[in-house]
Amino acid sequence: MSLLKRIEQGQAQAPATPKETSSTAGTTRLSQVRERRVAPTGAQRDKYHDLKTMVQNKLLAELDPSMDVSQTAEVRRTIEELFENILAESNIVLSRPERRRLFEQIVAEILGLGPIEPLLADSSITEIMVNGAKQIYIERAGKIHREPASFESDDHLMRIIDRIVAPLGRRIDESSPYVDARLPDGSRVNAVIPPISLVGPVLTIRKFAADPITVQELIDYGTITAESIEFLKACVVSRINIIISGGTGSGKTTLLNVLSQYIPTDERVVTIENAAELQLRQEHVVTLESRPPNIEGRGEVTIQNLVVNSLRMRPDRIIVGEIRAEEALDMLQAMNTGHEGSMTTAHSNSPRDTLARIETMTLMAGMDLPVRAIREQIASALELVIHLERMRDGTRKVTHIAEIQGMEGDVITMTDIFIFEQTGYEDGRVIGRLRPTGLRPRFVDKIEQTGINLPASIFGVGERMRGY
């Protein structure tokens, strides 16, 4: 007998239960999720949805409202016992796969993030994009696909968004209709709601792999080459100031995570981010996170505030997740005042654009500084630009590794050490390789002072004659 037939024979409608809300901050309690109970709408709803709603309403009615849902394993066992009892009492006969599917969906509503919970568990998905309640898109292998799943309504999606941002002490409402947040695993979250969104609540989740991407995986993906990684490792160990640039979703933070593993374990590292997502593996790491203003417009802590404060925390290195505004000036000053080996990221279209953006962001600090003075600060502080691009086949590749050499007149001079050469486009794939230009950076002496001797072949010296 089909599932729908069994549902029609065994389904018993549960009475609608009034909404309950909780304004208590801190520990999440079951009473905060009871408002998920939505009365079935009969013929307007799918039969399976009616069954799920009925069982979920009964289950929430029987659970202890004071139960702490942060104790996931214990709550899950309790839900499973009540779930089995409700199916038995209602004479609902389901096959084992159908029973498991129904149970997991109900648990996702109570303990997880509803329809997107299975997507979060899928390691092949790198991004989840929810455009209103009925449209869910995912990114897999660099390509965007439509998912058949959906939320019940905009209110349902809003409850999931509130569940994400509330534990972080952040809020989203009409007075503050957008927010940056993170999931417990470090995945980046952005949410936008009406009135500034015209399609309903919009939720974007940039997933981070449960196991951080390794250097070898980047090499296997074709993002970077073994030779350039050896060079970058030497740069990190020898405390070269690095900025990683690229467009949205080009892999800047992933590469920053990979390079950070080369920081010696005996150094004190301070990380500064809007939403903490870096996954440094060192033991001596202090993580700072900015804070938006409260409902009264007070209490804001900006990235700039944190960069200034971090200078008093005795850091060996400062890592800023991304510079976007006036904090660029403080970051440059930190790199110029004994915090060598610091790293950050910035959005830009090319290495040259990266310097132009930093110059513009420094001017946003409001200081009446001449442009030449700012450029001198940039040329003195930054030593290496690593630029990534997201190719048209969805792959991410390092396209430039460039040294900032200094000033000539009023212009900052740069030299490409490695550059990506595209040789073709076959079967929907970009063909090419990150190749050395044959030029050695000026800071090679600084690298050698740390006891690292890079072979000339890394820079392509002696290889060009053989058609490297």
Side-chain angles (χ1 to χ4, degrees):
M1 184 182 298
S2 71
L3 172 61
L4 293 182
K5 292 287 187 183
R6 289 197 295 272
I7 293 173
E8 290 169 351
Q9 291 181 5
Q11 180 178 352
Q13 296 287 355
T17 312
K19 277 188 177 182
E20 297 181 23
T21 59
S22 172
S23 59
T24 304
T27 305
T28 306
R29 298 193 176 277
L30 191 62
S31 57
Q32 290 176 286
V33 299
R34 274 195 163 181
E35 64 181 63
R36 259 184 226 88
R37 283 183 256 170
V38 181
T41 58
Q44 297 177 351
R45 298 294 181 109
D46 174 81
K47 293 293 184 180
Y48 180 85
H49 176 265
D50 288 349
L51 170 67
K52 173 176 169 289
T53 304
M54 182 272 291
V55 174
Q56 183 176 314
N57 285 349
K58 282 190 173 184
L59 201 152
L60 286 169
E62 295 187 21
L63 280 171
D64 182 1
S66 64
M67 183 179 293
D68 183 2
V69 297
S70 64
Q71 304 295 325
T72 307
E74 181 182 341
V75 175
R76 188 181 177 92
R77 284 194 298 270
T78 303
I79 292 173
E80 189 164 16
E81 292 174 4
L82 292 174
F83 175 78
E84 297 294 342
N85 291 338
I86 290 170
L87 292 187
E89 292 170 1
S90 302
N91 296 321
I92 298 173
V93 181
L94 300 174
S95 67
R96 183 175 297 177
E98 291 166 347
R99 184 183 295 257
R100 177 53 49 184
R101 175 191 170 200
L102 181 61
F103 173 72
E104 292 297 339
Q105 288 186 351
I106 291 175
V107 169
E109 289 294 329
I110 297 174
L111 300 178
L113 300 181
I116 61 175
E117 189 71 24
L119 306 180
L120 291 169
D122 187 341
S123 60
S124 67
I125 295 174
T126 54
E127 192 132 17
I128 301 170
M129 297 152 279
V130 183
N131 305 339
K134 301 303 180 183
Q135 290 188 355
I136 298 179
Y137 292 86
I138 62 166
E139 182 191 70
R140 182 184 279 119
K143 297 293 185 179
I144 295 178
H145 308 278
R146 175 79 179 267
E147 273 291 306
S150 65
F151 289 84
E152 297 170 11
S153 63
D154 285 350
D155 288 341
H156 183 199
L157 176 53
M158 277 300 304
R159 289 194 293 270
I160 296 301
I161 293 174
D162 286 335
R163 184 183 301 178
I164 293 172
V165 304
L168 302 176
R170 305 200 173 193
R171 63 188 178 87
I172 183 166
D173 50 39
E174 287 191 4
S175 63
S176 179
Y178 57 89
V179 67
D180 286 318
R182 55 181 164 79
L183 297 180
D185 65 356
S187 296
R188 183 189 311 170
V189 177
N190 176 267
V192 182
I193 65 171
I196 63 173
S197 167
L198 303 184
V199 297
V202 176
L203 178 65
T204 309
I205 300 176
R206 173 80 53 79
K207 285 180 56 183
F208 272 23
D211 298 320
I213 292 178
T214 64
V215 172
Q216 189 57 49
E217 286 176 321
L218 286 182
I219 295 172
D220 294 341
Y221 296 155
T223 300
I224 201 166
T225 60
E227 297 85 1
S228 53
I229 277 290
E230 187 175 351
F231 168 67
L232 293 178
K233 178 182 177 180
C235 291
V236 174
V237 173
S238 56
R239 301 174 69 87
I240 301 298
N241 290 328
I242 297 173
I243 183 165
I244 302 172
S245 63
T248 300
S250 58
K252 299 184 297 297
T253 305
T254 298
L255 183 60
L256 182 58
N257 270 322
V258 169
L259 294 183
S260 68
Q261 71 183 10
Y262 298 126
I263 297 175
T265 56
D266 61 348
E267 295 186 8
R268 176 176 170 87
V269 182
V270 176
T271 69
I272 300 169
E273 301 170 85
N274 275 312
E277 55 187 352
L278 291 174
Q279 299 169 310
L280 271 66
R281 303 176 190 178
Q282 286 77 6
E283 182 178 345
H284 198 171
V285 177
V286 178
T287 302
L288 305 179
E289 187 178 65
S290 65
R291 186 178 69 183
N294 61 21
I295 197 169
E296 297 174 349
R298 300 176 181 175
E300 181 179 18
V301 180
T302 65
I303 293 289
Q304 183 182 21
N305 300 146
L306 294 178
V307 171
V308 172
N309 184 77
S310 69
L311 300 178
R312 306 185 186 100
M313 298 174 67
R314 200 265 176 214
D316 288 306
R317 301 186 192 228
I318 300 171
I319 298 179
V320 179
E322 181 184 341
I323 52 174
R324 301 178 181 177
E326 59 269 12
E327 63 268 10
L329 176 60
D330 298 286
M331 187 69 189
L332 293 176
Q333 290 180 333
M335 290 178 172
N336 270 322
T337 54
H339 301 92
E340 295 177 335
S342 296
M343 295 186 282
T344 187
T345 72
H347 280 80
S348 72
N349 294 325
S350 70
R352 178 61 62 181
D353 284 349
T354 303
L355 302 186
R357 282 213 69 222
I358 294 174
E359 183 180 321
T360 303
M361 290 186 286
T362 302
L363 290 169
M364 292 169 65
M367 302 288 186
D368 189 16
L369 297 172
V371 171
R372 180 176 174 82
I374 294 173
R375 290 177 181 173
E376 287 176 346
Q377 283 279 307
I378 295 172
S380 174
L382 296 175
E383 297 172 273
L384 195 70
V385 179
I386 307 169
H387 188 75
L388 296 103
E389 289 186 17
R390 185 175 178 177
M391 300 297 179
R392 55 180 172 174
D393 63 352
T395 60
R396 283 90 166 168
K397 297 185 185 297
V398 174
T399 59
H400 295 81
I401 298 178
E403 178 194 15
I404 299 175
Q405 293 188 320
M407 296 279 294
E408 285 188 6
D410 290 334
V411 179
I412 301 173
T413 58
M414 301 179 70
T415 301
D416 287 328
I417 308 301
F418 292 84
I419 190 166
F420 182 81
E421 293 183 358
Q422 182 173 338
T423 56
Y425 189 80
E426 300 175 4
D427 300 324
R429 303 288 293 178
V430 171
I431 309 299
R433 178 179 169 83
L434 184 66
R435 298 186 183 278
T437 60
L439 301 174
R440 291 161 59 95
R442 291 183 178 180
F443 54 70
V444 164
D445 291 342
K446 186 176 179 181
I447 293 176
E448 291 176 348
Q449 288 172 7
T450 62
I452 301 173
N453 293 302
L454 295 173
S457 59
I458 283 184
F459 305 107
V461 178
E463 298 287 344
R464 295 172 66 86
M465 296 299 294
R466 296 196 294 267
Y468 184 85

Short mmCIF file of all heavy atoms in Angstrom, two decimals, residues 18 54 120 256 282 331 406 449:
data_model
loop_
_atom_site.label_atom_id
_atom_site.label_comp_id
_atom_site.label_asym_id
_atom_site.label_seq_id
_atom_site.Cartn_x
_atom_site.Cartn_y
_atom_site.Cartn_z
N PRO A 18 -2.07 27.00 20.35
CA PRO A 18 -1.67 28.41 20.27
C PRO A 18 -0.17 28.58 20.31
O PRO A 18 0.53 27.77 20.90
CB PRO A 18 -2.34 29.03 21.51
CG PRO A 18 -2.60 27.89 22.43
CD PRO A 18 -2.85 26.72 21.57
N MET A 54 0.98 16.92 11.73
CA MET A 54 0.20 16.32 12.81
C MET A 54 1.11 15.67 13.85
O MET A 54 0.97 15.88 15.06
CB MET A 54 -0.77 15.30 12.23
CG MET A 54 -1.67 14.61 13.25
SD MET A 54 -0.95 13.12 13.98
CE MET A 54 -0.97 12.04 12.56
N LEU A 120 23.19 21.03 4.79
CA LEU A 120 24.36 21.32 5.61
C LEU A 120 25.19 20.07 5.86
O LEU A 120 26.41 20.14 6.01
CB LEU A 120 23.93 21.94 6.95
CG LEU A 120 23.35 23.35 6.88
CD1 LEU A 120 22.72 23.73 8.20
CD2 LEU A 120 24.42 24.36 6.49
N LEU A 256 43.81 31.53 3.13
CA LEU A 256 44.34 32.11 4.37
C LEU A 256 44.43 31.05 5.46
O LEU A 256 45.42 30.99 6.20
CB LEU A 256 43.45 33.27 4.81
CG LEU A 256 43.89 34.03 6.07
CD1 LEU A 256 45.28 34.60 5.91
CD2 LEU A 256 42.89 35.14 6.39
N GLN A 282 46.94 26.48 15.37
CA GLN A 282 47.90 26.73 16.44
C GLN A 282 47.19 26.76 17.79
O GLN A 282 45.99 26.99 17.88
CB GLN A 282 48.64 28.05 16.22
CG GLN A 282 49.66 28.04 15.12
CD GLN A 282 49.07 28.11 13.73
OE1 GLN A 282 47.86 28.28 13.59
NE2 GLN A 282 49.88 27.98 12.70
N MET A 331 45.65 48.57 10.00
CA MET A 331 46.34 47.33 9.63
C MET A 331 47.71 47.64 9.03
O MET A 331 48.71 46.98 9.36
CB MET A 331 45.49 46.55 8.61
CG MET A 331 46.02 45.17 8.28
SD MET A 331 45.88 44.06 9.69
CE MET A 331 46.83 42.66 9.08
N GLY A 406 58.25 48.58 -4.00
CA GLY A 406 58.51 49.90 -3.45
C GLY A 406 57.87 50.98 -4.29
O GLY A 406 56.86 50.74 -4.96
N GLN A 449 67.62 34.41 5.63
CA GLN A 449 68.05 34.70 7.00
C GLN A 449 67.37 33.80 8.02
O GLN A 449 67.87 33.64 9.13
CB GLN A 449 67.78 36.17 7.33
CG GLN A 449 68.71 37.14 6.62
CD GLN A 449 68.29 38.58 6.81
OE1 GLN A 449 67.37 38.89 7.58
NE2 GLN A 449 68.97 39.50 6.12
#
